[in-house]
Amino acid sequence: FSWSSDSVSRREVASTASKLIGGTASCLVFLEGSVLPSSAEEEYITTSRGLKYQVVIPPTDPDSPLPLRAQKVKAKYTLYLNGFPEDTDTSKKIDSSKGFLGEKPFEFIAGVSQVIKGWDLSIMEMREGEARKLVIPSALGYGEKGAGGKIPGGATLYFDVELAEIGARAKIGEDQVKWLEDNPL
């Protein structure tokens, strides 16, 4: 069946699809290029910018600090297109910090646009040891251009990500401080 988001709610679409295929556990809801099972859709938190996340492992210490902008962090991750593998057969693994020689966390400086905006926004809200499922819309990912020949333009990105370590804050001068102030996330 087809539907228009202007006239029908997500819940109504899930309910109708469920009746057509019998049961909600196998029902998928396709929204703005994202694929989440209807039951999981309700477990995700959606930010004002359209980023969706679900905490799958709470932080080691819930009172530990959040990363600061210009602070080194290390993250373990796996990137998928078309949804998470446990949610759809069309999921495609694109990249991962896990390789045949083990896991090598990805190190970067948080909050300074070294990574896609969806990652910066997510990592800045995570604590060490916390793991999340992220659903990053194209506008917070690689946009209409895509990336590296593997990620098409307009793609929604699906990440399993863990903030493995928060390191030292980079030494920044007055110009960098001004840039951070002039360029909020």
Side-chain angles (χ1 to χ4, degrees):
F1 70 101
S2 64
W3 62 284
S4 164
S5 61
D6 294 335
S7 62
V8 181
S9 75
R10 292 177 186 186
R11 190 170 305 282
E12 290 171 309
V13 170
S15 175
T16 301
S18 173
K19 290 174 188 169
L20 290 172
I21 63 173
T24 58
S26 60
C27 176
L28 292 178
V29 179
F30 297 80
L31 301 166
E32 301 172 31
S34 66
V35 180
L36 294 174
S38 60
S39 60
E41 181 72 22
E42 295 171 3
E43 297 173 16
Y44 281 75
I45 295 168
T46 303
T47 69
S48 62
R49 295 171 108 173
L51 174 70
K52 295 179 183 180
Y53 71 92
Q54 178 184 55
V55 176
V56 293
I57 298 175
T60 309
D61 176 0
D63 297 321
S64 63
L66 299 170
L68 301 172
R69 290 184 77 192
Q71 191 166 14
K72 281 187 181 180
V73 295
K74 290 183 181 179
K76 300 174 184 179
Y77 73 94
T78 303
L79 165 61
Y80 303 97
L81 291 179
N82 305 324
F84 292 105
E86 62 270 19
D87 298 336
T88 178
D89 291 338
T90 62
S91 178
K92 181 178 178 186
K93 182 172 153 182
I94 298 297
D95 193 17
S96 181
S97 60
K98 299 171 187 164
F100 65 92
L101 296 176
E103 182 142 28
K104 184 175 187 316
F106 176 62
E107 185 174 326
F108 64 100
I109 298 174
V112 298
S113 302
Q114 281 191 345
V115 293
I116 59 173
K117 184 150 314 264
W119 255 53
D120 264 342
L121 292 169
S122 298
I123 292 293
M124 296 296 298
E125 301 267 325
M126 293 174 70
R127 298 180 191 281
E128 198 167 273
E130 184 176 342
R132 293 182 177 185
K133 287 189 170 299
L134 306 177
V135 180
I136 300 177
S138 174
L140 298 176
Y142 294 103
E144 293 306 314
K145 292 184 179 183
K150 290 184 174 182
I151 301 171
T156 297
L157 307 174
Y158 298 81
F159 281 97
D160 283 320
V161 64
E162 176 188 343
L163 181 55
E165 183 180 316
I166 298 175
R169 188 166 193 206
K171 292 181 182 181
I172 56 176
E174 288 180 30
D175 290 344
Q176 289 91 359
V177 170
K178 179 154 178 32
W179 184 89
L180 291 173
E181 291 168 356
D182 292 344
N183 295 279
L185 291 176

